Amino acid sequence: MVEVDGSIDSCLLNPPLRIQSTFLIDRDYNRHKRRTPSCMSLIGKTLNNRFYILKSLAHGGFGHTYLAEDRGFQARHHCVVKHLDPAKENLPYLDKIKVLFDREAETLKKLSLYSNLIPKFMDSFEQSGELYFVQEFINGAPLSAELAPGKKLTQIATIELLIQILTPLEYCHQEELIHRDLKPDNIMRRQNGELVLIDFGIAKDMGAASITKHSYGGTPGYAPEEQQYGQPELASDVYAVGKIAIQAITGLSPTQLRRNRDTMAWEWRQHCNVTDGFATVLDRMVELLAAKRYQNASEALAAVQSIPRGGNTLISPPTPPTAQQGGGGGFGFAQPSPQSTGVERSRNPSPPTRQTFSFQTAKLESALFGGSLKISRISGSAEYVTEDIGGVKLEMVYVPAGSFMMGSNEADDEKPIHRVNLSAFYMGKYAITQEQYQAVMGTNPARFKGSNRPVEKVSWDDGMEFCQKLSQRTGNKYSLPSESQWEYACRAETTTPFCYGETISTDLANYDGNRTYGKGLKGKYREQTTSVGDFPPNAFGLYDMHGNVWEWCLDTWHENYNGAPTDGSAWIENDNHSHLLRGGSWDNDPVNCRSSCRNGLARVIRYNYCGFRVVSLPSPRFP
């Protein structure tokens, strides 16, 4: 069984060869929606003997929004009717959806009594098996009309805007209601100048699983990573408000901004005049990881209100950290950040020394008689350096410069085979262990506990944060490996499907031994991770490059190698949220554990078969 963030996910009991489930769910959603009344079918009809539908306003993930006339009183006035429309696959959960619907209706009713900055709740009802609720129609203009492209607000005006947005949002968060789609089009300015939050999504019961992952995606540019993949939280709204503020002060839409490929921070400061204190607040609001943001509107509002209202002082745009290069192009290494918390930079980190260790690797061959496989032992040696990361050792093996043919003809995404030239680098002797992760991050998310087992249930983002904190602690630059670095290190100058030969054995790696590859034989299925170093290393002295855990790489996912770099650098595109994993895992068939096999997952996903190892380039600390 496969555990996803602590819960058993039955849809992944037999994961496909290329695990892309997050995207498949979203991509196929519209094909499976049940037949429902079109947006035109309700126009001209009266609902609940009171609300006469005038026209359609919008169609979102949950259904339609209409402009209606409230005919329940002699003085008729306009209102907004929202029609909830559960998808076909969620009909078995209709009772739970109704509970959430009723709960949100009560919450919105309560909130509208607290503040006139939230539309007044008017009614909720069920008619012909369909769910509806009705709110006040806001007569005004959306904030998007004020944030025209190229128009920049001053810092003082942007602070006032933030306070106006965060004030009503604070009421929502106090009731644990996540808006889920904060953007300028969903913030209306009344004719008296007040800002009102509109178009709330279905409230997610805090701590409960969402009914539909696709339902909380929000709007690209304003929705953070965790929300796009079905895990919204209060901090997701804070992120959206931060992006609105950056839009206001820079005059740029969120889609025009780019993340720094090394720090993953949004690059926006160079486009405006802003004080360092204000910039720090905005940067925290739009942090990549939700845990590093202000956790709710109250925290964000307090931070904004603490900013001095003096004049703007232009600060120089921060110099983007440059990757060290060694004739092979940039590798996108995580840089130490002065804002990082939780890990102190060592004042005088002890320089690691380069040493040599001997080992026995293995070669797998068919025996002459009996059809069995023979494992031959081959002696080898490798150079390595050791970092002390707080009483825990991290061994980094020296991988010499070289050239190899990357890819294979076994799968379309492994084509075309192409030559890659790499400079020398250091790579973790093992995948990062739970002991090492605990020492740097202060936590251990793994399902299969064991200090010397690889850490799993970590996302790509978690791996990047680990590298950043490790870099800060040691003074040396660490990163996830590029995909070509990983395959080069895995192959260790071999051209066979596995570094051990044409096939593999469960005596050499941890994978699902119920399946075979080539002339391989069935073996053990351990159904969990094993301690690092339990199996022979490859010819470079690296352990567990096949099986045990998938290992995150720096690159974003690409369908093939057309246009791939040939200098060993990572292939990164900002618009691609899926990242590479390599090596297969304890739960995979051996075909998934080949040196050339590729996998892609959303960067925020945490599975109990995903881990990582780190790399570093030669430097004065790493001779």
Side-chain angles (χ1 to χ4, degrees):
M1 285 192 171
V2 175
E3 184 173 290
V4 182
D5 273 339
S7 61
I8 300 299
D9 191 339
S10 60
C11 73
L12 293 174
L13 295 183
N14 296 297
L17 178 62
R18 298 291 184 267
I19 305 171
Q20 297 274 357
S21 57
T22 301
F23 298 106
L24 293 176
I25 290 172
D26 290 343
R27 186 181 300 148
D28 295 338
Y29 167 61
N30 286 326
R31 301 180 192 173
H32 302 297
K33 278 186 67 68
R34 65 189 176 93
R35 184 178 64 83
T36 57
S38 70
C39 64
M40 301 298 295
S41 63
L42 292 180
I43 295 176
K45 295 185 177 181
T46 300
L47 301 177
N48 206 29
N49 297 316
R50 176 177 173 182
F51 304 105
Y52 179 77
I53 304 299
L54 296 172
K55 66 177 182 179
S56 174
L57 294 177
H59 180 205
F62 276 116
H64 291 86
T65 302
Y66 300 91
L67 177 66
E69 186 177 66
D70 183 1
R71 297 183 172 181
F73 300 94
Q74 185 173 3
R76 299 179 178 181
H77 54 82
H78 287 160
C79 58
V80 173
V81 174
K82 293 192 175 184
H83 169 212
L84 215 65
D85 182 15
K88 179 180 179 181
E89 61 266 30
N90 297 314
L91 292 182
Y93 306 102
L94 187 58
D95 289 341
K96 184 173 181 180
I97 292 175
K98 289 181 178 179
V99 170
L100 292 177
F101 172 81
D102 291 338
R103 185 175 302 165
E104 182 185 30
E106 287 300 314
T107 302
L108 290 176
K109 184 177 181 179
K110 183 189 299 185
L111 289 173
S112 68
L113 294 176
Y114 287 169
S115 173
N116 62 354
L117 303 182
I118 297 169
K120 299 298 182 185
F121 177 84
M122 298 173 62
D123 196 6
S124 66
F125 56 92
E126 181 178 346
Q127 182 171 316
S128 301
E130 306 289 340
L131 301 173
Y132 301 86
F133 68 83
V134 187
Q135 289 180 288
E136 168 193 11
F137 173 73
I138 305 299
N139 185 16
L143 182 62
S144 55
E146 302 175 24
L147 303 183
K151 179 181 178 181
K152 299 182 182 182
L153 300 187
T154 64
Q155 176 170 313
I156 294 176
T158 305
I159 290 174
E160 295 300 326
L161 177 66
L162 276 171
I163 293 173
Q164 291 182 69
I165 297 173
L166 289 169
T167 297
L169 186 62
E170 182 178 29
Y171 288 116
C172 302
H173 285 186
Q174 288 171 352
E175 295 296 323
E176 297 187 332
L177 175 69
I178 311 171
H179 187 288
R180 282 181 185 76
D181 198 16
L182 281 169
K183 57 183 178 181
D185 282 338
N186 285 341
I187 302 173
M188 298 290 292
R189 190 176 294 280
R190 294 182 190 270
Q191 292 181 338
N192 65 3
E194 293 177 334
L195 288 182
V196 183
L197 307 185
I198 67 169
D199 201 17
F200 286 79
I202 288 297
K204 176 183 176 184
D205 187 20
M206 302 299 290
S210 62
I211 296 296
T212 55
K213 293 183 178 180
H214 60 265
S215 301
Y216 307 110
T219 300
Y222 300 98
E225 300 284 343
E226 75 276 0
Q227 183 171 331
Q228 295 177 42
Y229 299 110
Q231 300 173 355
E233 49 190 274
L234 299 178
S236 304
D237 283 347
V238 173
Y239 178 96
V241 176
K243 291 299 285 290
I244 293 171
I246 291 174
Q247 178 178 352
I249 204 165
T250 64
L252 300 174
S253 70
T255 56
Q256 292 177 284
L257 299 177
R258 291 290 179 267
R259 288 191 184 276
N260 182 286
R261 62 180 292 175
D262 298 318
T263 66
M264 301 309 294
W266 289 110
E267 297 180 330
W268 62 272
R269 296 191 184 195
Q270 64 269 36
H271 300 291
C272 58
N273 293 342
V274 61
T275 61
D276 189 49
F278 185 43
T280 300
V281 170
L282 288 188
D283 280 337
R284 183 171 174 184
M285 292 179 73
V286 296
E287 277 278 4
L288 179 65
L289 299 178
K292 299 176 71 173
R293 297 179 213 136
Y294 301 108
Q295 293 301 289
N296 51 53
S298 296
E299 290 185 12
L301 181 60
V304 171
Q305 289 175 327
S306 69
I307 299 170
R309 303 299 177 88
N312 294 339
T313 302
L314 177 64
I315 60 173
S316 301
T319 303
T322 56
Q324 290 192 14
Q325 300 184 10
F331 289 86
F333 283 80
Q335 305 295 312
S337 168
Q339 285 80 28
S340 298
T341 59
V343 179
E344 294 287 339
R345 177 189 287 275
S346 175
R347 293 178 180 269
N348 294 293
S350 301
T353 57
R354 192 161 167 174
Q355 301 169 282
T356 300
F357 72 99
S358 299
F359 56 84
Q360 279 197 334
T361 185
K363 185 176 181 181
L364 195 59
E365 301 172 303
S366 296
L368 293 176
F369 304 101
S372 61
L373 294 172
K374 176 185 178 182
I375 299 176
S376 301
R377 301 289 178 176
I378 302 173
S379 297
S381 64
E383 295 180 318
Y384 72 104
V385 294
T386 302
E387 285 271 33
D388 185 337
I389 53 174
V392 178
K393 302 298 183 183
L394 173 64
E395 293 177 301
M396 300 291 293
V397 175
Y398 179 75
V399 179
S403 175
F404 80 114
M405 299 305 293
M406 184 174 182
S408 80
N409 288 320
E410 291 205 34
D412 288 342
D413 62 3
E414 298 170 18
K415 301 176 183 177
I417 299 174
H418 57 291
R419 181 170 294 280
V420 179
N421 302 300
L422 296 99
S423 300
F425 58 95
Y426 286 87
M427 175 176 268
K429 186 176 183 180
Y430 313 109
I432 292 298
T433 65
Q434 295 173 37
E435 182 180 46
Q436 292 166 340
Y437 194 84
Q438 177 80 44
V440 173
M441 303 293 284
T443 184
N444 179 12
R447 176 191 177 190
F448 305 113
K449 300 298 185 185
S451 61
N452 209 35
R453 291 190 182 195
V455 67
E456 17 86 11
K457 289 187 67 179
V458 286
S459 67
W460 184 88
D461 291 331
D462 295 330
M464 290 294 287
E465 185 180 12
F466 178 92
C467 291
Q468 180 178 336
K469 289 187 174 182
L470 181 62
S471 300
Q472 182 182 355
R473 168 169 290 191
T474 64
N476 199 57
K477 297 182 178 67
Y478 286 92
S479 177
L480 300 177
S482 70
E483 186 183 13
S484 52
Q485 281 180 317
W486 193 97
E487 185 171 329
Y488 174 71
C490 178
R491 288 187 179 277
E493 299 182 340
T494 63
T495 58
T496 50
F498 302 90
C499 68
Y500 305 116
E502 293 291 342
T503 187
I504 199 170
S505 159
T506 56
D507 291 326
L508 299 176
N510 181 20
Y511 61 92
D512 183 354
N514 294 318
R515 301 289 185 267
T516 63
Y517 179 89
K519 295 181 179 180
L521 304 176
K522 288 188 177 181
K524 300 176 182 178
Y525 178 31
R526 298 174 176 87
E527 301 186 58
Q528 58 184 299
T529 59
T530 52
S531 295
V532 299
D534 278 1
F535 303 99
N538 66 11
F540 281 161
L542 300 168
Y543 290 78
D544 299 309
M545 297 299 285
H546 301 299
N548 217 15
V549 288
W550 284 100
E551 298 181 9
W552 288 106
C553 293
L554 197 59
D555 309 57
T556 48
W557 169 261
H558 294 85
E559 297 291 342
N560 52 52
Y561 288 131
N562 290 324
T566 59
D567 59 0
S569 60
W571 193 8
I572 298 175
E573 291 181 356
N574 289 324
D575 293 335
N576 191 333
H577 299 294
S578 181
H579 281 259
L580 261 296
L581 299 103
R582 288 302 205 105
S585 78
W586 59 269
D587 195 43
N588 285 109
D589 296 357
V591 68
N592 294 84
C593 302
R594 293 174 298 110
S595 300
S596 60
C597 184
R598 309 171 71 229
N599 188 13
L601 279 178
R603 60 192 291 169
V604 296
I605 293 297
R606 299 182 177 98
Y607 287 150
N608 57 23
Y609 44 71
C610 292
F612 65 97
R613 73 179 71 209
V614 297
V615 296
S616 183
L617 292 178
S619 67
R621 276 183 55 77
F622 275 22

